[in-house]
Amino acid sequence: MTEPAPGIELRLQLRRTNFALDVALSLPAQGVAVVFGPSGSGKSTLLRAIAGLEPAARGELRIGGETWQDAHVRLPPHRRRAGVVFQHAALLPHLSVHDNLRYGWRRAGAPTSVMQEWIDKLALGPLLARPPATLSGGERQRVALGRALVCQPRWLLLDEPLSALDAERRAEILPYLEAIRRETRIPLLYVTHAVEEATRLADHLVLLEAGRVRIAGPALEVLNRSDLPLALRDDAASVIEASVLGHDGHGLLRLDTPAGTLHAHGPAHPAGTRVRLRVQARDVSVALSAHADTSVLNIVPAVLQALSPLPNGQLQLQLQAGGLPLLARVSHQSALRLQLREGLAVWAQIKSVALLV
């Protein structure tokens, strides 16, 4: 039997006048680990400490059995083989795109084939002769990704790489990030405060608060925890993995989920494609019987497990639908009229399903 690849183990501390970072984590050596949290929680500081860019950071860091830092070893940044992409691409303005790529590639001593591989995968060919000043924000970030990847990094570190982009440019970059996750064995550490990015990309999710780990674990488990701050946000949602059953030709997918068949608008993926869905609590209502005379397509049987008051005067309902956790939000008046209580069998009416490709 093949032994699993060694994972990533870290324990890093950094103390400043008004802030202390103290993080211990065990992460998989493949897939995307998303570090999520509010501004000031220490996300970027943690990433910089991993990259060796925080000289005052102390502790241990091992990836795949290789020690980058401990009481006796402290590899400088250029020897850690960590590819780093920041919020702003920081390309060398006097060099063309091609020469920006070559700059990192030559220093790393990577094979020629690696350069061409990432030029092709990131669709950089048409940009190679252009200077960075002529690129869009999305194009600059693609070049920054390529510059990091042609160095054959052991770990790819991304510090809010989409936060400076508009929605159209973010949508342009996300498929490339998903392709990196899908087609390579390079682990990614992805820092963000955007729940949409965390929901779409994360295999493993780390919730950071005030320089410490609040919780870390498989992404869907953490995202669907009802006792965490994510569940209290205005955009609180359940995250579901599903398999494509078919497409109606009008932009509507049929999806197989543990709760039954759901419908969502999205691209015509082939049958069997695994996708991730995000169902916001504000888009879920409940009824005591199933109604056929409604425009709502997604109506599934569920059991009400808990009712919790929210600061805005509403109630948040925790539902189980075929073993699938769902959140719903209703008014106190609706809860009284329907006599909602724990253990009650209801029908969850899902008005909108966001397909996260």
Side-chain angles (χ1 to χ4, degrees), residues 65-343:
E66 178 182 342
T67 299
W68 287 8
Q69 182 173 331
D70 65 13
H72 307 288
V73 174
R74 185 185 182 90
L75 296 183
H78 68 277
R79 290 187 56 202
R80 295 194 178 199
R81 288 185 59 193
V84 185
V85 179
F86 294 106
Q87 176 180 341
H88 299 286
L91 303 177
L92 297 172
H94 61 289
L95 298 180
S96 68
V97 166
H98 187 257
D99 287 341
N100 264 278
L101 296 173
R102 282 181 58 85
Y103 180 81
W105 168 76
R106 290 179 64 185
R107 293 183 67 183
T112 304
S113 58
V114 174
M115 169 82 82
Q116 191 59 51
E117 174 188 2
W118 287 111
I119 288 172
D120 294 341
K121 285 184 175 179
L122 295 172
L124 298 177
L127 309 179
L128 292 178
R130 292 170 57 182
T134 67
L135 304 178
S136 70
E139 289 169 339
R140 283 194 293 272
Q141 286 301 74
R142 270 196 287 146
V143 176
L145 275 171
R147 183 178 59 181
L149 288 162
V150 297
C151 297
Q152 292 188 300
R154 290 289 308 277
W155 202 359
L156 185 60
L157 312 176
L158 302 109
D159 189 9
E160 307 235 30
L162 307 186
S163 62
L165 305 180
D166 59 27
E168 183 177 354
R169 299 307 177 200
R170 288 197 297 272
E172 171 192 323
I173 295 295
L174 278 166
Y176 290 104
L177 295 172
E178 290 173 324
I180 293 168
R181 176 181 65 180
R182 185 173 59 248
E183 297 174 12
T184 76
R185 297 186 63 84
I186 302 170
L188 279 69
L189 185 83
Y190 189 98
V191 165
T192 185
H193 66 273
V195 69
E196 295 84 1
E197 293 170 30
T199 301
R200 179 163 172 175
L201 292 173
D203 298 304
H204 196 88
L205 187 63
V206 179
L207 181 58
L208 209 61
E209 291 182 355
R212 287 168 170 76
V213 175
R214 170 74 179 269
I215 190 171
L220 293 188
E221 291 181 15
V222 176
L223 287 165
N224 288 322
R225 284 273 297 265
S226 60
D227 59 336
L228 295 175
L230 288 170
L232 299 178
R233 294 167 50 116
D234 288 341
D235 59 353
S238 303
V239 182
I240 305 166
E241 286 192 327
S243 179
V244 174
L245 293 172
H247 195 275
D248 72 352
H250 300 284
L252 197 66
L253 290 166
R254 288 187 300 111
L255 304 164
D256 181 36
T257 80
T261 301
L262 296 179
H263 299 81
H265 287 278
H269 294 292
T273 302
R274 297 295 295 174
V275 295
R276 191 173 284 187
L277 314 174
R278 187 166 183 262
V279 179
Q280 294 200 58
R282 62 190 179 204
D283 287 330
V284 181
S285 60
V286 297
L288 300 183
S289 59
H291 298 281
D293 54 345
T294 175
S295 62
V296 178
L297 293 176
N298 299 311
I299 303 175
V300 296
V303 175
L304 177 54
Q305 291 198 316
L307 302 86
S308 307
L310 293 171
N312 60 8
Q314 291 184 308
L315 291 173
Q316 183 148 282
L317 311 182
Q318 297 172 35
L319 308 170
Q320 281 286 327
L324 188 73
L326 287 175
L327 296 176
R329 290 188 175 176
V330 301
S331 67
H332 279 271
Q333 186 62 34
S334 294
L336 289 172
R337 183 166 57 85
L338 296 176
Q339 298 183 17
L340 298 181
R341 63 189 183 278
E342 292 182 11

